[in-house]
Structures are given as C-alpha cells and as structure tokens.
Amino acid sequence: MRIGAIDDADEGPSGRGFSAIGLPVRIAVGSLIVALIAIAARMPSAPAPVPMLNRTGEVPAIVGTAPLRLTEPGIDPVRVEPGRIDPKTGLREDVLGRGSFSALEAPVLRLAVTRGIGAERAPGLFVLVARRAAMAARGELPLSLSRMVPRGVVATRFGPAEIAEATLSGPLTRTCTGFVLAQAGLRIDGFLCAPLGGAAEPKALACTLDALDFDDQSDPTASALFRQAKGRSACEPAGTATADPTGRTGSIERRRPSTKN
C-alpha cells in the first residue's frame, strides 16, 4: 500500500491529474501570445533611426576679402565680398559687384572670380548666371533668371568669353548680358546690365573685364594669370570702333544696308 501510494504521488507532476489541470492554462497562455502578436502587427512600426549627416566641411568656408578691384570709373562704389572656399573642390570664389539692380538708370555688374585647380571645369552658362543672380549681394534681393538667349563669343583680355542675353527678375525686370570665360586655374562669370534695361554691348563687357585687377602675394598663380592678361586688352579706345564681325551690338542685330536698287 505504501509503495503504491508513493508511486501515485510520484506520478503527480507528470500524471494525468496535472495534465488535466495544465491544459487549460497552456491554451490560455497560447491565446494570449497570439493576441499580443496580432496587436503588435497592427501597431505602426517605429521609423528607422535617420543617421545624422556629418555636415562638417559641406558649408563653404568664409575667408578674408581678396585684393580684387575694378579700375573702371563709375559713380557706384565697387563691393568685394569675403571669399568662399568650396570644401569639396578646394576652389576659392570671390565676388565683386557694382550698382543696384533696382536702379534702372545705372549699370549693374556682378561677377565671380573662381581660382584653383579645375576652376575651368564649370556647368553651363545658364546655371552660372542663375546661381550668380540667386546669391544676392548685401542689401539686395535675390534675382531669378527667366530667359536666356545665346549671343556667341566676345574677345576679352582673358580670352574668348561666352555671352548670352539674360532676362533677370527681382524688384523689376532687366535684360542683361551673362558671360563666362575660363582658362586653366581661373574662371570668371557673372552678368552686366546696361542702363535703362538694355543688355550690355560686347565692347562694354570687354572694357569692364579689362579693368578687372587682382594681385595677391598669397596666390602667385592667379596673380600671374592677371598680369599676363594685361597685355591682351580687347577694349578699344573711344572713337576707334570697328565693325562688329557678329553683326550684333548687345542684343540688337545690325541691319545690313540693302544692295537692291
């Protein structure tokens, strides 16, 4: 009897009695787990963590003002902005400006001198002029480029410059001459607006670039390029105008005299 009782007791935890009691519990636990899984599936998943971008070096470094000047006479003062160095390319950009875009009666100049290895590799003229217009000068509003018409090439002291008639809009709308010229290690781009809303003539652009001067002991390469270009002036003295081989003056095409009787 005692042995039998011991055997029955040993059978308890794994016997039929425990199984009969534990089965409902296991069913309940399993149902709870299924319910929790269903609820979790319906809940919106948490967004994946967005890695923080390391923006160190992505913003151009602002440096001192370059010894860039314009020797061309004019009423409005010449403004040279602090230089900017692109951290990706190492190219330095210095911006020079004169005149207010909203002063329709006066000319407006805004140009950038980019120097360094690879400066001659640049996007198209449309992109350059749009970028120059959007980067407002101090005290000015950003401009937008709405239209551009290619006008060919004009000779300058730095070599041939691609030019185009550009329609810029801001406080008012003006027709200007966009330009870009480049040689190894140097690029000059921007726009020049003539008074009263007309596009600047190619000769006026050549004379403006002829008056551009730069001499920096810390950048002997760029300084040498400017010195070499001094002997290649493309600006004609007053009273010695010659025929425009392209048949255009600014944005106005010259009419050829009729040879018919």
Side-chain angles (χ1 to χ4, degrees), residues 116-138:
I117 299 175
E120 67 279 5
R121 297 190 295 269
L125 181 56
F126 186 95
V127 174
L128 289 172
V129 175
R131 180 187 300 169
R132 200 60 48 217
M135 297 178 65
R138 181 179 300 177

Side-chain angles (χ1 to χ4, degrees), residues 175-222:
T175 301
C176 306
T177 298
F179 62 89
V180 60
L181 57 90
Q183 54 179 294
L186 178 67
R187 182 177 78 244
I188 304 175
D189 65 84
F191 59 85
L192 176 63
C193 311
L196 304 180
E201 297 183 356
K203 179 183 172 182
L205 175 61
C207 290
T208 297
L209 294 177
D210 195 59
L212 191 63
D213 192 25
F214 174 85
D215 189 7
D216 188 358
Q217 294 182 355
S218 65
D219 192 345
T221 302

Side-chain angles (χ1 to χ4, degrees), residues 71-77 98:
T71 59
E72 187 179 47
I75 299 176
D76 294 318
R98 169 182 269 182

Side-chain angles (χ1 to χ4, degrees), residues 62-66 80-84 92-95 138:
I62 306 300
V63 292
T65 303
V80 180
E81 301 175 7
R84 299 159 61 91
R92 171 165 176 160
E93 177 184 274
D94 295 281
V95 177
R138 181 179 300 177

